[in-house]
């Protein structure tokens, strides 16, 4: 598609790639966002899962998010570079109850940096601590999370794919950040309200 065609299309597409170890809840996060469901059985993603979801941002902006859910075992795989290439946003996901999944993000992030070495535009990187419904079992302290964000200029998110807590907000904020749109407090609260409404309806 040429640039001029792209400008005419009403929908802007953003490619978001979800990275991190297996069992951190990447697929649950992607399906909770895209389909508003949560699967109780753990099923390992082999290679890649792909989701599309339209969201509305301030200014009546229709954005289609392509969410690429990359299998946790692909860190050494040949295809990983291709999955990451061209992404406008990267979600580095870890499980707040699993310290190793946090430590391993360094390796995932190194792959992202390597892929984008030559690139003029760097993707926005978000650090996502999942499973906040298990706060009582947390092993990765919040200040460790914040330090990692500050050192690397990541945006910071805490979510629960299981309850849906802050999941929509996380993707909405990432999309807005990529496009340079500032979300005001009312918009953030409104999307939070929609999530709470969803939780009330689902249970």
């Amino acid at each position: 598609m040429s640039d001029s065609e792209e400008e005419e299309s009403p929908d802007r597409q953003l490619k978001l790639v979800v990275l991190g170890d297996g069992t951190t809840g990447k697929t649950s996060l992607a399906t909770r966002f895209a389909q508003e469901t949560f699967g109780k059985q753990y099923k390992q993603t082999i290679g890649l899962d792909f989701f599309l979801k339209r969201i509305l941002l301030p200014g009546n902006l229709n954005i289609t998010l392509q969410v690429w859910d990359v299998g946790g075992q692909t860190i050494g795989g040949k295809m990983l570079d291709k999955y990451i290439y061209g992404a406008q946003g990267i979600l580095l996901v870890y499980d707040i109850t699993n310290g190793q999944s946090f430590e391993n993000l360094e390796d995932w992030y190194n792959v992202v940096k390597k892929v984008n070495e030559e690139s003029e535009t760097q993707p926005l990187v978000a650090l996502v601590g999942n499973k906040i419904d298990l706060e009582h079992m947390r092993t990765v302290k919040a200040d460790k999370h914040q330090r990692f964000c500050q050192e690397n200029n990541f945006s910071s998110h805490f979510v629960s794919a299981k309850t849906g807590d802050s999941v929509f907000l996380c993707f909405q904020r990432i999309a807005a950040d990529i496009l340079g749109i500032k979300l005001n407090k009312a918009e953030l609260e409104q999307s939070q309200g929609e999530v709470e409404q969803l939780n009330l309806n689902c249970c």
Side-chain angles (χ1 to χ4, degrees):
M1 200 186 329
S2 75
D3 286 352
S4 59
E5 282 175 29
E6 191 142 316
E7 280 161 11
E8 285 161 20
S9 73
D11 263 28
R12 177 85 194 266
Q13 291 226 0
L14 295 179
K15 176 180 174 180
L16 305 181
V17 179
V18 185
L19 299 176
D21 286 1
T23 74
T24 54
K26 298 188 306 297
T27 303
S28 296
L29 182 66
T31 50
R32 168 62 80 183
F33 170 65
Q35 299 164 353
E36 296 174 4
T37 57
F38 179 77
K40 289 182 173 60
Q41 273 76 38
Y42 173 63
K43 171 174 123 301
Q44 189 177 31
T45 302
I46 306 298
L48 180 76
D49 271 343
F50 183 80
F51 302 90
L52 280 176
K53 171 91 169 178
R54 285 181 71 178
I55 67 169
L56 196 62
L57 286 177
N60 228 5
L61 222 56
N62 268 320
I63 307 294
T64 300
L65 299 184
Q66 303 174 6
V67 182
W68 297 51
D69 166 31
V70 176
Q73 77 292 350
T74 54
I75 190 152
K78 293 184 183 64
M79 291 300 292
L80 185 57
D81 292 8
K82 292 183 175 60
Y83 296 152
I84 293 170
Y85 184 78
Q88 284 103 341
I90 303 285
L91 284 73
L92 293 177
V93 180
Y94 72 96
D95 168 358
I96 66 164
T97 72
N98 178 339
Q100 195 56 53
S101 71
F102 180 80
E103 301 302 330
N104 291 347
L105 288 182
E106 198 75 59
D107 294 336
W108 288 101
Y109 185 45
N110 284 335
V111 178
V112 174
K113 286 193 288 196
K114 195 170 103 270
V115 171
N116 289 290
E117 260 170 359
E118 310 295 307
S119 176
E120 286 165 27
T121 54
Q122 294 301 313
L124 177 117
V125 181
L127 182 60
V128 183
N130 188 23
K131 307 195 185 179
I132 54 170
D133 52 293
L134 302 176
E135 181 64 47
H136 57 292
M137 293 162 62
R138 176 193 279 273
T139 58
V140 181
K141 298 278 180 280
D143 57 353
K144 204 172 182 184
H145 170 108
Q146 300 301 356
R147 200 162 49 243
F148 194 34
C149 286
Q150 283 158 0
E151 285 165 4
N152 296 285
N153 205 17
F154 298 157
S155 67
S156 164
H157 307 266
F158 288 104
V159 300
S160 168
K162 186 174 183 177
T163 65
D165 191 9
S166 296
V167 171
F168 184 83
L169 183 63
C170 168
F171 282 93
Q172 184 194 35
R173 273 181 50 204
I174 290 166
D177 285 350
I178 291 168
L179 296 168
I181 296 168
K182 289 274 174 280
L183 296 175
N184 65 34
K185 200 162 182 294
E187 282 149 356
L188 295 174
E189 281 168 1
Q190 182 198 350
S191 71
Q192 207 44 34
E194 285 165 11
V195 170
E196 278 158 20
Q197 191 57 43
L198 182 90
N199 286 343
L200 292 172
N201 293 344
C202 77
C203 311

